[in-house]
Amino acid sequence: MRQTPNFSGWRATLLHRIDSNTERLTRQLRLLGFSVELSWEPMPNNNFPDLALVDADQGWDGLLPWSGAENAPCPVVALLGSEAPSRIAWAMNVGASAILAKPLSASAVYPALLMAIAIHEERKTVRERLDHYEERIRMRPLVHAAVKALMASRNLSEEDAYAVLRSNAMRRRLPMEAIAASFLAGTESLPEVG
């Protein structure tokens, strides 16, 4: 996280039964600028809040409409009073990237929020980067096919055919996979080497 966020206008959903912890947490979140929705029903699978806070002691599968930290559409903070490994594992599985210990201390809220947001942003960046690389790997056979086609049609060595693709990709500022696909589809004519 590059800068401290301004929480004014952010929406937080607090999935917890009403008790002294929720009252303290709601008050603290509102002081930070959040609008807070308190619920103890499963979160709908649309219109996600900017932040989810969930009771990890009593939470159940299906309380949040996703599973796995990589699928969490917003930062998640777990409220946890137990040391049970199964409860900690459940919190991690729903994507919690910070924990607020119960009974709640108001001074612990802000650092937990910053940590959850920073880790969520980092997970999102890593996921996008992995998706990009997986797509490039999936398209790699096109590059190989284009190199083979260039070798056959222009009597080039493998190295020279690859150089033609690479230089054209660099000149056009496109991935080699895109140039290779266009060439194989017949929509791209590649210049000679050199």
Side-chain angles (χ1 to χ4, degrees):
M1 181 167 38
R2 301 203 187 280
Q3 61 186 13
T4 305
N6 175 354
F7 296 122
S8 182
W10 282 43
R11 292 181 314 115
T13 297
L14 176 53
L15 298 168
H16 199 293
R17 288 190 171 100
I18 296 173
D19 65 10
S20 62
N21 287 305
T22 59
E23 291 169 8
R24 194 173 302 122
L25 181 55
T26 299
R27 184 172 44 254
Q28 193 66 24
L29 289 170
R30 286 188 176 137
L31 285 172
L32 292 170
F34 284 92
S35 64
V36 181
E37 176 189 347
L38 180 60
S39 174
W40 191 231
E41 293 181 10
M43 182 185 286
N45 197 9
N46 57 7
N47 197 21
F48 296 115
D50 299 305
L51 175 73
L53 301 105
V54 61
D55 181 3
D57 291 321
Q58 298 182 38
W60 68 91
D61 292 342
L63 182 61
L64 296 166
W66 62 84
S67 178
E70 68 281 354
N71 298 322
C74 63
V76 179
V77 177
L79 283 76
L80 191 63
S82 166
E83 294 180 8
S86 63
R87 298 287 67 202
I88 296 167
W90 182 86
M92 291 171 60
N93 188 50
V94 297
S97 47
I99 292 177
L100 280 170
K102 295 191 269 183
L104 188 71
S105 166
S107 65
V109 174
Y110 188 70
L113 298 182
L114 292 183
M115 182 173 283
I117 291 164
I119 291 172
H120 177 75
E121 288 175 2
E122 185 177 313
R123 284 177 181 163
K124 196 167 129 181
T125 300
V126 167
R127 185 172 51 245
E128 288 168 357
R129 195 173 296 145
L130 283 174
D131 289 347
H132 171 75
Y133 290 140
E134 286 174 357
E135 177 65 14
R136 295 218 37 206
I137 288 170
R138 190 180 67 75
M139 300 290 284
R140 213 57 190 158
L142 290 176
V143 173
H144 182 70
V147 166
K148 291 293 184 195
L150 280 169
M151 288 170 62
S153 68
R154 296 188 184 174
N155 197 25
L156 297 173
S157 69
E158 184 175 2
E159 186 176 311
D160 288 340
Y162 189 82
V164 169
L165 281 177
R166 184 182 58 238
S167 65
N168 198 43
M170 290 172 64
R171 183 176 50 80
R172 303 259 322 271
R173 296 179 186 236
L174 290 171
M176 283 187 53
E177 295 80 8
I179 296 297
S182 296
F183 172 70
L184 291 171
T187 59
E188 181 82 32
S189 62
L190 300 176
E192 296 292 330
V193 133

